[in-house]
Amino acid sequence: MILNLENENTSKNKSLAVRSFVGLILAATGVTALIIGLRGGFWNPLYLVGGGSGLMFIGVSVIAPLLAKPFANIVGWPFKKVFKTSGELAVGNIKRAPRRTASTAAALMIGVALMSTIGVVTSSVKATIDDVIGDSFPADLVIRSQQQGGDPNSISGGVNRDFTSKSMELNELSTVSVLRYNTADFFGEESFEGLGDIGSLIIAVDPTNLDEVVKLEPLGNSYNNLAQKNTVYIQQDMLEDLELSVGDSVDVGFPNNQRISLQISGSFVEKFDSDYLISLETYEQFYADNEDTIIFAKTDSGYTLEQSKEAVNELIKDYPILKVQDTGELIDEAKSQINQVLGLIWTLLGLAVLISVIGIANTLTLSISERKREIGMLRAIGMTKKQVKRTIRVESIIIALFGTLLGILMGIFFGWALIRALRDEGLSQFSISYVQLAIFFVISIIAGILASALPSQSAANTDVLEAISTE
């Protein structure tokens, strides 16, 4: 009998060793793919980052049984101190069946990992919004059409030029800078991004005051060269990708089959809604619209922000389609759109967590059925029903915490990898919402308690004599 137990333990240890080796290989492969993707050594880093994250996820899942024992020792320590015998038995049960512990926690780990990843990404996006609008938009007020919704890139609906002229006469405003969005086709020796029936987005600006309302870090810290007729500023990264430089010319197709060569008179560093800027004067040669897309304004030093905003609102009464926002409101609007999408995602992921709770409950029920004789013996030597319930409850909480911790750690890492991969798209800030992580831990404890409700009651009601007689 002893020999059989030794052989069984040896077999289990060998199986765990093989499983751990496979898991480490998968995780290492995933890390390698991530490193290559994040270093930009691949044409689309998101593919490698996504594939590497997936391999890491599988690898961690495979080696999870190896982590179950040390986790139970560490997290179980306070339970053993507080609940004595019940805590000791709960920790022992987890250490005795690490595979069962890992498989039971797997569903919760997946759900929490997805929630943590999304939490990190959304928190980072919000931090980027604060950073971009706070640092790159020194304008005090933004005026645009309500038809644009929350999308500043939309060219549907605009600001009537009559309103623009009147706003420039307000004493409360020291600067009124106009931006007009439209599309054009760029042609050259190299292919431009955004070509097609629609063309590339192009923005017309006022070179004399653009730098007062938008910080794009132009070449020479000035847009003076853009004031020259038939010139264009191109974003620096795009300029390098196209292997062009300041002083070169590029052919541009405008409406009504108009085609002209624009001289690249400068460039700018920061990412903006478009990679191409032209002057209002150049714009008016090719477009016959009578609306501006958006207006940025600064408050005169002799007035407060509230006074300038009130003056603009008074003017807007005759143009009900328009709205004015300060930068704080602009930030709140952008974040509210993220929160709307996030609400739907949290609901779906919440269902996934609920399913994982049911999984923990089912596994505990099966475990109790397998340990029926053991529970009967414990009851026979004096263990109370309350202690039995507590043992199952503690075991369930530790399993839930195990899945939650692994999920959070992987979610933070995957979120960081995604933000790094998208840094060229403007996501410059990495942020973690520690409040969210604390909520996840609280939810995991509640989930553990709920999952143990029925199994613990079943274990406590075990018939002692019947259990002892079970073979």
Side-chain angles (χ1 to χ4, degrees), residues 108 112 115 353 357 400-401 404 436-450:
L108 185 59
V112 171
M115 293 176 76
V353 172
V357 171
L401 286 173
T404 300
Q436 280 186 352
L437 300 186
I439 291 173
F440 290 163
F441 273 108
V442 172
I443 290 176
S444 70
I445 294 174
I446 296 173
I449 293 173
L450 292 176

Side-chain angles (χ1 to χ4, degrees), residues 28-43:
T29 304
V31 169
T32 302
L34 269 172
I35 291 173
I36 296 173
L38 294 177
R39 285 187 172 183
F42 194 65
W43 71 276

Side-chain angles (χ1 to χ4, degrees), residues 357-369 371 375 385 388-393 395-396 447-462:
V357 171
I358 296 173
I360 293 175
N362 288 338
T363 303
L364 285 174
T365 301
L366 292 173
S367 172
I368 289 166
S369 177
R371 289 182 283 165
I375 293 171
K385 287 186 176 182
V388 172
K389 286 182 179 180
R390 187 179 294 149
T391 299
I392 304 302
R393 192 176 301 120
E395 186 177 345
S396 179
I449 293 173
L450 292 176
S452 67
L454 292 178
S456 62
Q457 185 66 39
S458 174
N461 292 333
T462 299

Side-chain angles (χ1 to χ4, degrees), residues 252-271:
V252 184
F254 290 104
N256 300 321
N257 296 318
Q258 300 178 87
R259 182 168 176 172
I260 191 172
S261 180
L262 297 182
Q263 183 184 27
I264 303 172
S265 60
S267 64
F268 55 97
V269 176
E270 295 296 327
K271 293 283 187 179

Side-chain angles (χ1 to χ4, degrees), residues 195-210:
L195 287 178
D197 294 336
I198 297 177
S200 300
L201 182 66
I202 191 169
I203 301 178
V205 300
D206 185 347
T208 63
N209 60 18
L210 178 64

Side-chain angles (χ1 to χ4, degrees), residues 188-255:
E189 294 180 2
E190 301 290 341
S191 175
F192 275 71
E193 292 184 3
L195 287 178
D197 294 336
I198 297 177
S200 300
L201 182 66
I202 191 169
I203 301 178
V205 300
D206 185 347
T208 63
N209 60 18
L210 178 64
D211 199 47
E212 296 181 43
V213 294
V214 181
K215 296 298 181 184
L216 300 179
E217 298 185 24
L219 181 68
N221 296 319
S222 170
Y223 295 99
N224 290 340
N225 293 337
L226 193 61
Q228 301 172 23
K229 198 172 181 180
N230 296 337
T231 58
V232 62
Y233 268 41
I234 299 180
Q235 199 274 332
Q236 187 63 45
D237 292 337
M238 175 63 75
L239 202 59
E240 292 175 1
D241 290 343
L242 298 170
E243 298 182 359
L244 295 173
S245 59
V246 175
D248 293 340
S249 295
V250 59
D251 289 339
V252 184
F254 290 104

Side-chain angles (χ1 to χ4, degrees), residues 143-148 152 154-168 176-182 203-206 280 283-284 288-296 321-322:
I143 305 165
R144 55 196 169 108
S145 169
Q146 297 187 51
Q147 292 180 356
Q148 293 177 12
S154 173
I155 57 177
S156 62
V159 180
N160 188 285
R161 300 271 172 84
D162 182 51
F163 173 87
T164 302
S165 299
K166 291 180 180 179
S167 67
M168 290 179 177
V176 176
S177 189
V178 174
L179 278 73
R180 298 174 190 164
Y181 290 42
N182 222 305
I203 301 178
V205 300
D206 185 347
L280 294 173
Y283 180 93
E284 289 170 355
D289 55 78
N290 60 355
E291 291 182 331
D292 301 318
T293 306
I294 191 167
I295 296 175
F296 290 115
I321 198 173
L322 303 181

